[in-house]
Amino acid sequence: MRRVLLIVGLVAILVGLCVHQFEGVAVLHEEKLETKTLSQFYPKGFDHVSKIAILNGSSGAKKTTTDKQSIVPFINSIKDIPFIPDENQERRVGFRYNVTFYNDKKSIFSFSMTNVDGHYYHTEPDLYPIVDTFYKQLNVEEIAP
C-alpha cells in the first residue's frame, strides 16, 4: 500500500496535483492556482536585479542587458501585471519569450509569457507586446543558438 501511495504521489507531483491520504486511501485533487503578479511570485523584490536575459522562443536568440536605466523601467512596467491561471494546465510546447532576472551572475527568477513555476497563465494586459518592444529596442547583439 505504501508503495502504491508513493507512486501515486510521484505521479501527482509530475502533473501538478496534490495527494492527501485519508484513512489509507490516496485522494488526488488539483492544486488551486491564484491570480498573482510577478511581485507576488517573487516577493524578495527586484531592486537587486543586475541583469536581464531574454530568450526568443521563435529564433532561439538571446539578448541580455546590465543597463540599470533599461532594467528598472522594464521591471516597473511588468511587475504588477496580473498572471491569471489558465483553466487548461496541460503541458504545452514552445514559448514566445523567456525572461530571466539575475543578481550578479546568479539567476534569481525566470518566467515566460504564459508560464511561471511550471503553471500556465495569461496576463491582462497582455505581457507579450511589452516584452517584445523591450527585446527589440535592446541595443545589444543577439546571441544565436
Side-chain angles (χ1 to χ4, degrees):
M1 182 65 171
R2 286 180 189 229
R3 188 174 294 193
V4 170
L5 288 175
L6 177 62
I7 292 170
V8 169
L10 291 173
V11 169
I13 289 169
L14 291 173
V15 295
L17 301 174
C18 295
V19 178
H20 294 283
Q21 188 172 345
F22 179 72
E23 294 182 9
V25 177
V27 179
L28 293 174
H29 68 83
E30 290 187 38
E31 184 177 344
K32 176 82 169 118
L33 298 175
E34 298 176 357
T35 298
K36 291 183 177 181
T37 64
L38 291 178
S39 295
Q40 291 170 312
F41 281 113
Y42 190 75
K44 293 179 182 179
F46 299 108
D47 293 339
H48 55 283
V49 173
S50 60
K51 179 171 102 174
I52 295 177
I54 302 178
L55 178 62
N56 183 326
S58 298
S59 68
K62 184 193 292 188
K63 287 186 177 182
T64 63
T65 184
T66 57
D67 177 25
K68 275 291 200 186
Q69 291 182 336
S70 296
I71 291 172
V72 171
F74 174 67
I75 290 175
N76 286 339
S77 72
I78 65 170
K79 70 180 182 178
D80 294 321
I81 292 178
F83 280 69
I84 303 155
D86 285 349
E87 283 188 32
N88 180 359
Q89 290 292 317
E90 292 179 28
R91 182 157 165 70
R92 299 166 199 170
V93 177
F95 59 91
R96 289 177 162 179
Y97 289 110
N98 190 77
V99 180
T100 304
F101 296 144
Y102 292 84
N103 181 359
D104 293 322
K105 294 180 182 182
K106 182 181 177 191
S107 169
I108 58 171
F109 185 72
S110 185
F111 64 96
S112 76
M113 304 301 88
T114 59
N115 189 312
V116 181
D117 293 336
H119 298 289
Y120 296 99
Y121 298 87
H122 61 278
T123 58
E124 290 179 16
D126 188 5
L127 188 60
Y128 173 75
I130 300 167
V131 175
D132 187 53
T133 299
F134 181 72
Y135 181 85
K136 288 177 179 174
Q137 65 90 32
L138 281 176
N139 252 352
V140 295
E141 187 176 333
E142 287 185 328
I143 300 170

